[in-house]
Amino acid sequence: MLPGRDPFRPTFRLSVAVPRERAIAMFRSLLTDQGGRYQGQAVGDHITFTVTADRRHFWSPWLNMEFTPNESDMDTTDIFCRFSPAPSIWTGFMLTHIALFTLAIFAAMGGLAQHLIEKPPTALLLMGAAIVSAGGLLLISKIGQRLARAQMEEIASEVRCIGSEHG
């Protein structure tokens, strides 16, 4: 089981007893271009990776790692790790929620306007449809997380293993 309270993107933290540059190099070894078992990219203080293409599914998780020096010990690096769906899926998920929220707001205003002119507030039906659709998206995201659980635990275990060697 993965710790963290974000229901959409499970998170965990690590601390390794090496400076930030060395910690980034350690975790870069997971990437296929470095001979590792995962694909992704490292840019600055961030590494993003997922399983290789031959094992990847629509629901496969991506792990985003952010490396920061520990404030009290500069020879220790704190790593914030967050799982999410593929970047394109996450973007679509969030944009769909924004669109549904916008639709619900405009439908509520339309329903209020209809009520004020003493007509049946039929626009509120559109608001209800937007709310039900948003609930459906949440259900789909939970199903996706269940399907991705094995790969999330595999990746988290691999990251923790590397971290524990230097933690």
Side-chain angles (χ1 to χ4, degrees):
M1 187 67 149
L2 296 167
R5 298 289 172 221
D6 187 336
F8 300 111
R9 299 187 303 169
T11 63
F12 63 98
R13 294 179 185 273
L14 294 173
S15 228
V16 292
V18 296
R20 184 180 65 204
E21 291 76 23
R22 179 134 187 266
I24 292 170
M26 287 172 13
F27 287 96
R28 269 184 195 237
S29 67
L30 291 171
L31 302 177
T32 54
D33 64 343
Q34 304 289 321
R37 297 178 8 172
Y38 302 96
Q39 289 181 325
Q41 61 183 5
V43 178
D45 295 340
H46 301 276
I47 295 179
T48 301
F49 64 93
T50 188
V51 296
T52 54
D54 60 322
R55 299 188 306 139
R56 194 173 314 143
H57 304 285
F58 181 76
W59 57 82
S60 289
W62 287 63
L63 181 64
N64 302 290
M65 301 174 73
E66 182 177 341
F67 297 79
T68 55
N70 185 292
E71 291 181 13
S72 61
D73 180 6
M74 294 306 283
D75 288 333
T76 299
T77 303
D78 295 325
I79 307 166
F80 178 74
C81 304
R82 175 175 292 177
F83 281 104
S84 65
S88 58
I89 294 171
W90 181 249
T91 301
F93 179 81
M94 292 309 294
L95 287 176
T96 302
H97 271 286
I98 290 169
L100 290 171
F101 177 76
T102 303
L103 177 64
I105 294 295
F106 279 105
M109 288 190 302
L112 178 62
Q114 287 174 324
H115 176 72
L116 290 175
I117 60 171
E118 298 179 359
K119 297 233 178 194
T122 55
L124 294 179
L125 294 172
L126 202 54
M127 185 176 91
I131 291 169
V132 168
S133 296
L137 277 177
L138 293 176
L139 179 64
I140 289 169
S141 73
K142 288 298 182 187
I143 292 169
Q145 277 187 358
R146 277 203 189 113
L147 292 171
R149 183 167 310 281
Q151 288 180 340
M152 280 196 295
E153 289 175 353
E154 171 197 336
I155 293 170
S157 174
E158 187 82 26
V159 165
R160 285 189 183 109
C161 182
I162 290 174
S164 69
E165 292 173 3
H166 296 87

